[in-house]
Amino acid sequence: MTPAIYALLFVLLAPVFGGLLAGIDRIVSARMQGRVGPPLLQPFYDVGKLLQKRTRQINPIAEPLLIAHLGYMAATGALLLGGTDLIFTVFVYALAALLLVLAAGSANSPFSFAGAERELVVLLASEPFFILMMVAVCKVTAASTFGGVLASSQLVAVQLPGVLLAFVVVATIKLRKSPFDISISHHPHQELVSGLTSDMSGRLLAYVELAHWYESALLCAFMVLLFNWSVPLGLLAFAVAYALEVLVDNATSRIKWQLVLRSTWAATLLLCGGNLLALFVMGR
Amino acid sequence: MANPFRLPMVPRALRNLVSRPATRLYPTELRPRFAGARGAIVFDVESCNFCMLCARRCPAAAIECSREDRSWAIDQLTCIACGVCVEVCNKKSLSMSAEPGRVHTRAEATPDGRRPGREEWLKPAPPPDLTTAPVSAAATD
Amino acid sequence: MKRTTIPFGPQHPVLPEPLVLDLILEDEKVIDAIPTIGYIHRGLEMMVERVEYTEMGFVVERICGICSFMHGMGYCVSLEAIMNVEVPERARWLRLVWAEISRIQSHLLWLGLGADAFGFENLFMHCWRMREQILDIFEKTTGGRIIHSVNRIGGVKRDIADSELAAILAELQELGAAFKETARVFGTDPSIAHRLGGVGVLTKADALAVDAVGPMVRASGIATDTRLGGAFMYDQIDFEPVVETAGDCLARVLVRLREVDQSIDIIRQAIDKMPKGEGLPIENRPRGLPSGEVFTRLEQPRGEVVYYVKANGTKNLERFRARTPTFANIPAMIKLVKGCDLADVPNIILTIDPCISCTER
Amino acid sequence: MDTTAFLARVEEYHRDGWRLALINVTTVLPAAPAAHGAQTAVEAAAVGAAPLDGPGVFEIAWGFARGGEFKTIREQIEQGQSVPSISEFFGAAFLYENEIRELFGINVTGMGVDLKGQLYKTATRVPFSHGAVKARLAALAASAVKPS
């Protein structure tokens, strides 16, 4: 199969993957809390319902921005699997995230605006890591594309255990999990109401949710990069990491943005940077 | 900050994961009510003598009673199930059911302005007392 | 710096209570908070004009769904004082037992809400799951989960059989043992310490200056508790008020955690000391109409409540007023909110355990 | 009222370690409704007992608590008169003082924090002023069925 087909498959299947993941997440979370929980397909029902609901827009610019956010999120995955340069992919990913910030900031509401500001903080917390991670992956595999990394004879995770650990830490931000869910959380019970999405309704919220499903699939693809010998192994690693995220989500409270920044940068610098330094020192 | 890797909730979360959930799938699965629970007021029109005590004492003004019309009505959505009416009823026409009342919705409101949850009774006047009524009248009946 | 005004409430998802605060912010720092009262005013106090004094207790109970038992009890105690009614001993003990059970209920509810406010959903579920057991005890003994309607001027409407009292005590003690694990999470979890430790510190001097009440002052190192006054059988109970000294949000959580255990112990002592047997009198219904006035004070889960009742010899009272603990704690809350981060506002507000239904009646 | 003597008493409470429990205001009804054979205030209004004729008088009770003890300082004032603020001694007093000003129209001089009439959102301005209470009772009387 050509990379183009992979890209197309990502665009088509990632929402199914992300939605099912969210469904499993909700059931597992509920069980950890001693609840029965919703049916597996509940996220799909939710998005279907959101699409049917009347949409109220504070600022008409929000909708094109959110469609672009969804589009870029899908494009990030498509570009990754389609064989584009890894570092370029990370920049497209950052752009996708930025569009959500712009959409939230466009609503003239204090909660939404404060959510947008906090999302900028978490972007600041996570983006350096993703760039560093891709640099590291490119360095150890001497390849710069998804296919190239998968074809490499080096098992990335063995070379980059620090990067793997830091990835699990930083992915918490992207998966909107406690303790790092400061700008938006899965349930709207926080000091910023629903943060970023406070002023989004109906299909706008559905776009955000769909984009999040793409994002989950994208993070899974990143994990596959780290376990480049075998795709099933990468999926398994992602499942383990995700289960860990859910457990931590159910065992911590939300922390404040200062600590989010400090802990993710500490993870990036110590784990990721230390790992790279070690490789450098060992002369590879 | 304390040791960030010591998360005391983890054992509990894991234990929950493998044990039975504490919730049930309401409303398909219901818990039985305890005996003596205050659910809803049940009225028996047959024994009522329309003394109006219940209507007068009801703190929520949920009961309407008229001696002349021999009518009795309760607004179940206004009723606070405190049980005062049951206590003051001399004829034991009122009782408290442990089962909660029906769920009423706004859709029940009729165009004539009747509130959902309003339940009404009318008791026809008793037949004339046969011992004092003229015999002929009784015969024609 | 840019100043923004954030309307905090009346409908804010983090607070189930329709508190209305205008927060004046500079970036994410709060520089002022202006409270507004009246969003859910229902005119319950004025209902004394229509509802006769004998039934008014059922209205007073509905001031709030959490301290409903204490409100009903406060009303009845006030009228008993005006009418010089001697309440049978067993009824007084039963009231104490129910009052302490409702304190446990209130604290569990609050601990859950607090956990939810700092984003700990699982802990929230756990506290409420335990609270559900308490509500079941209430439904078994009073017929209602939230609104109990067992208090009446002169006593209580329902008795609890001695065997059932023992069963309740056993259940509560079991719950207390299970609660230890949850309490440990509150006390030792690092993310909770990060969110609550050192946040919203009310010093001992400040607590005295703003006349705060209940767990709020006890967390600032002041051992006041209206129960120490000894009324309502508390003189026969051996207990010390729970005091923490840090004065921060975490201290207020710890006070309530320990008060749950304390209440279970008080219930144990009460059941121990209560006169036992079938058919003991639980009611001494007064005759005549009340005339006179009284101030009554009780220690509710949230702190001291003061009732003022004035009767003028008619079926209807002339004035009924409740000064609720939340009202007394608003000055303290405003003091703490000024100068804090926006992210800390929900925690500070929640740790005073605001009850807006109570405050706005 | 004697302001100086009042403040001296408040200061004494403060010094002796009392805590402000509440400030309570009651409308003083010159004639008890019962005197007119009416059973309730509404009935009294209906039979024209008009309990609020004459100058409106309020009774203000400053309640102080210490342990299990509770004491009040009581003052009766006519509508329009002022009372001094006690927030100098008791920090929380400002809330009660704003409350009595907004609800009863009692002027409080020298309040610690002046919320400028923003504490209560009410449909009627000063809902418990004598004028407002009289109007309400008159409306009630008009709608109430006169007892036979």
Side-chain angles (χ1 to χ4, degrees):
Chain A
M1 281 197 286
T2 62
I5 295 174
Y6 283 126
L8 188 70
L9 279 179
F10 180 86
V11 173
L12 294 177
L13 294 183
V16 180
F17 172 83
L20 284 175
L21 188 67
I24 296 169
D25 177 357
R26 284 170 73 168
I27 293 175
V28 173
S29 286
R31 288 303 165 94
M32 283 185 178
Q33 295 168 3
R35 291 187 287 123
V36 174
L40 178 65
L41 296 182
Q42 191 63 41
F44 296 99
Y45 304 148
D46 287 350
V47 167
K49 197 169 168 186
L50 283 173
L51 287 171
Q52 286 167 18
K53 288 214 167 196
R54 191 170 52 172
T55 304
R56 284 284 175 88
Q57 290 200 54
I58 312 281
N59 188 337
I61 196 76
E63 180 153 21
L65 283 172
L66 286 174
I67 291 173
H69 166 60
L70 174 60
Y72 272 94
M73 204 54 97
T76 312
L79 288 173
L80 180 73
L81 297 192
T84 317
D85 185 74
L86 291 179
I87 297 179
F88 178 72
T89 316
V90 171
F91 282 113
V92 179
Y93 183 28
L95 182 62
L98 208 60
L99 282 162
L100 178 63
V101 177
L102 288 176
S106 75
N108 192 17
S109 117
F111 293 120
S112 182
F113 197 78
E117 283 183 335
R118 287 185 176 190
E119 179 68 7
L120 281 177
V121 169
V122 294
L123 278 179
L124 205 62
S126 60
E127 286 316 310
F129 165 76
F130 283 112
I131 294 169
L132 216 55
M133 168 182 159
M134 289 310 170
V135 170
V137 170
C138 291
K139 186 176 162 7
V140 295
T141 57
S144 65
T145 63
F146 193 76
V149 172
L150 256 57
S152 164
S153 60
Q154 299 280 349
L155 181 57
V156 181
V158 172
Q159 304 281 331
L160 298 173
V163 174
L164 176 63
L165 282 174
F167 176 73
V168 176
V169 173
V170 176
T172 316
I173 290 180
K174 292 294 180 188
L175 292 171
R176 314 291 188 198
K177 294 276 181 216
S178 197
F180 295 155
D181 50 350
I182 58 169
S183 59
I184 174 179
S185 117
H186 282 304
H187 70 129
H189 253 233
Q190 57 156 311
E191 59 267 24
L192 292 181
V193 189
S194 190
L196 277 177
T197 53
S198 294
D199 286 280
M200 295 172 194
S201 61
R203 60 177 185 277
L204 300 192
L205 215 46
Y207 300 148
V208 176
E209 196 57 30
L210 273 171
H212 185 66
W213 293 354
Y214 273 116
E215 198 171 359
S216 310
L218 183 67
L219 290 169
C220 183
F222 283 176
M223 190 59 118
V224 173
L225 275 180
L226 295 176
F227 289 86
N228 58 334
W229 274 5
S230 138
V231 176
L233 186 65
L235 290 174
L236 183 69
F238 184 72
V240 172
Y242 200 89
L244 205 61
E245 298 281 357
V246 173
L247 182 63
V248 172
D249 185 42
N250 277 301
T252 52
S253 61
R254 181 181 306 114
I255 60 178
K256 292 199 259 178
W257 68 264
Q258 294 92 335
L259 190 59
V260 174
L261 214 53
R262 255 186 280 144
S263 43
T264 48
W265 277 6
T268 307
L269 280 175
L270 294 179
L271 295 172
C272 204
N275 200 167
L276 280 176
L277 200 68
L279 286 180
F280 187 75
V281 168
M282 287 191 292
R284 303 221 198 165
Chain B
M1 194 170 152
N3 177 5
F5 299 106
R6 194 176 164 275
L7 300 175
M9 198 65 187
V10 167
R12 180 83 229 199
L14 290 176
R15 232 179 316 129
N16 280 344
L17 192 61
V18 292
S19 49
R20 245 188 86 217
T23 56
R24 56 181 87 71
L25 277 175
Y26 185 84
T28 51
E29 196 184 319
L30 296 175
R31 167 176 74 72
R33 302 276 291 184
F34 294 108
R38 288 179 290 113
I41 298 293
V42 178
F43 179 61
D44 167 42
V45 72
E46 284 314 312
S47 54
C48 179
N49 66 349
F50 304 95
C51 70
M52 299 186 38
L53 209 54
C54 52
R56 250 202 340 258
R57 295 286 290 274
C58 175
I63 299 176
E64 266 174 48
C65 178
S66 163
R67 197 173 288 155
E68 291 84 47
D69 306 346
R70 297 171 71 75
S71 70
W72 195 92
I74 184 167
D75 192 339
Q76 292 283 17
L77 293 187
T78 306
C79 171
I80 56 175
C82 62
V84 167
C85 54
V86 177
E87 235 166 67
V88 299
C89 184
N90 293 323
K91 290 283 177 183
K92 306 242 180 303
S93 310
L94 284 160
S95 56
M96 182 73 82
S97 141
E99 290 302 314
R102 265 189 54 223
V103 174
H104 295 282
T105 62
R106 198 176 297 164
E108 289 169 41
T110 47
D112 61 354
R114 180 191 291 187
R115 280 194 57 162
R118 191 181 155 91
E119 294 165 10
E120 290 172 351
W121 283 266
L122 254 176
K123 188 176 173 185
D129 193 339
L130 297 184
T131 52
T132 54
V135 179
S136 57
T140 50
D141 248 329
Chain C
M1 256 192 259
K2 203 181 74 172
R3 277 199 179 193
T4 26
T5 304
I6 284 199
F8 198 89
Q11 281 154 352
H12 192 291
V14 80
L15 280 181
E17 299 282 342
L19 172 91
V20 185
L21 266 187
D22 277 345
L23 297 177
I24 321 281
L25 297 183
E26 265 176 11
D27 289 339
E28 284 215 8
K29 263 267 168 298
V30 181
I31 54 167
D32 204 0
I34 300 163
T36 299
I37 295 177
Y39 184 75
I40 47 162
H41 174 71
R42 291 148 291 162
L44 294 179
E45 289 181 350
M46 206 169 250
M47 276 179 78
V48 291
E49 283 180 359
R50 186 180 65 72
V51 179
E52 293 175 15
Y53 82 96
T54 40
E55 275 80 54
M56 187 61 198
F58 300 120
V59 176
V60 172
E61 255 189 336
R62 284 165 170 80
I63 285 177
C64 165
I66 302 164
C67 10
S68 68
F69 182 83
M70 303 275 225
H71 278 306
M73 173 171 155
Y75 176 84
C76 293
V77 166
S78 305
L79 263 294
E80 283 152 11
I82 291 178
M83 301 178 85
N84 278 321
V85 183
E86 179 68 29
V87 180
E89 192 185 344
R90 188 168 167 97
R92 281 184 282 162
W93 281 116
L94 286 174
R95 277 182 183 171
L96 185 145
V97 168
W98 274 316
E100 291 302 325
I101 296 178
S102 61
R103 190 180 316 277
I104 300 173
Q105 185 265 124
S106 173
H107 281 349
L108 285 176
L109 175 127
W110 179 82
L111 288 165
L113 289 181
D116 201 30
F118 51 72
F120 208 140
E121 199 185 355
N122 200 355
L123 202 48
F124 158 70
M125 294 290 174
H126 268 274
C127 293
W128 280 45
R129 176 182 183 172
M130 281 182 219
R131 175 177 174 259
E132 211 52 34
Q133 280 174 267
I134 305 279
L135 294 185
D136 281 354
I137 293 177
F138 268 127
E139 188 174 336
K140 262 183 248 172
T141 55
T142 70
R145 296 165 72 74
I146 303 291
I147 304 287
H148 313 304
S149 299
V150 278
N151 271 301
R152 194 152 46 188
I153 304 165
V156 291
K157 271 162 68 168
R158 296 191 190 200
D159 200 350
I160 311 178
D162 290 335
S163 57
E164 202 178 335
L165 277 172
I168 288 171
L169 181 63
E171 195 179 341
L172 284 176
Q173 280 169 337
E174 203 176 297
L175 184 129
F179 181 68
K180 284 204 164 44
E181 189 188 9
T182 309
R184 198 167 58 239
V185 175
F186 274 104
T188 61
D189 186 276
S191 58
I192 295 178
H194 161 71
R195 283 308 295 267
L196 302 181
V199 170
V201 179
L202 185 73
T203 61
K204 192 169 177 176
D206 283 344
L208 284 172
V210 294
D211 300 307
V213 295
M216 189 84 185
V217 275
R218 291 199 282 278
S220 297
I222 304 167
T224 53
D225 190 323
T226 317
R227 290 178 287 179
L228 288 176
F232 326 117
M233 309 311 273
Y234 282 105
D235 52 343
Q236 300 191 35
I237 299 285
D238 176 31
F239 78 103
E240 289 280 321
V242 174
V243 174
E244 289 280 335
T245 48
D248 57 1
C249 288
L250 192 59
R252 295 193 273 278
V253 170
L254 295 178
V255 164
R256 293 186 175 102
L257 286 172
R258 287 169 54 199
E259 282 188 2
V260 171
D261 288 335
Q262 184 194 41
S263 290
I264 294 173
D265 187 57
I266 290 177
I267 293 168
R268 179 190 59 78
Q269 294 183 41
I271 291 176
D272 227 27
K273 293 189 171 153
M274 189 184 280
K276 304 284 188 324
E278 293 274 309
L280 286 171
I282 52 166
E283 247 194 302
N284 177 16
R285 299 182 80 169
R287 304 248 159 255
L289 294 168
S291 182
E293 57 155 28
V294 71
F295 283 96
T296 306
R297 296 194 301 141
L298 283 181
E299 184 74 15
Q300 277 189 348
R302 298 179 162 98
E304 175 207 53
V305 62
V306 185
Y307 300 98
Y308 173 67
V309 178
K310 188 175 181 189
N312 57 10
T314 65
K315 284 188 298 187
N316 292 54
L317 300 175
E318 192 171 308
R319 177 111 159 92
F320 168 77
R321 196 233 164 143
R323 196 283 278 136
T324 57
T326 303
F327 192 86
N329 279 335
I330 285 178
M333 178 183 82
I334 292 172
K335 186 169 184 65
L336 294 182
V337 164
K338 279 185 196 175
C340 77
D341 276 350
L342 179 62
D344 294 331
V345 170
N347 289 330
I348 291 177
I349 292 180
L350 266 169
T351 49
I352 81 158
D353 196 357
C355 177
I356 306 305
S357 295
C358 280
T359 308
E360 309 189 346
R361 282 141 4 243
Chain D
M1 62 185 284
D2 182 349
T3 307
T4 334
F6 166 74
L7 285 176
R9 281 182 73 192
V10 173
E11 194 181 354
E12 204 174 299
Y13 275 106
H14 178 63
R15 216 176 33 236
D16 295 347
W18 292 75
R19 188 171 57 74
L20 178 69
L22 85 167
I23 301 177
N24 190 53
V25 179
T26 334
T27 306
V28 178
L29 301 175
H36 296 267
Q39 286 289 298
T40 69
V42 178
E43 284 175 24
V47 297
L52 287 168
D53 280 345
V57 177
F58 297 112
E59 184 183 89
I60 310 181
W62 287 264
F64 300 94
R66 188 174 68 180
E69 296 172 276
F70 183 84
K71 281 189 179 178
T72 56
I73 301 179
R74 305 214 188 189
E75 295 282 351
Q76 292 211 344
I77 64 157
E78 279 185 20
Q79 181 149 26
Q81 287 181 331
S82 307
V83 292
S85 167
I86 61 163
S87 43
E88 187 189 333
F89 308 108
F90 296 97
F94 82 88
L95 202 60
Y96 300 98
E97 288 167 353
N98 278 286
E99 177 184 59
I100 64 177
R101 185 180 61 186
E102 289 183 27
L103 296 185
F104 293 88
I106 296 166
N107 288 325
V108 184
T109 51
M111 271 192 294
V113 180
D114 190 342
L115 295 171
K116 302 193 175 66
Q118 281 194 38
L119 181 59
Y120 278 88
K121 284 215 164 68
T122 50
T124 324
R125 234 174 62 81
V126 200
F128 302 124
S129 71
H130 275 264
V133 172
K134 233 155 129 177
R136 196 176 61 80
L137 285 182
L140 275 174
S143 65
V145 185
K146 287 199 195 297
S148 46

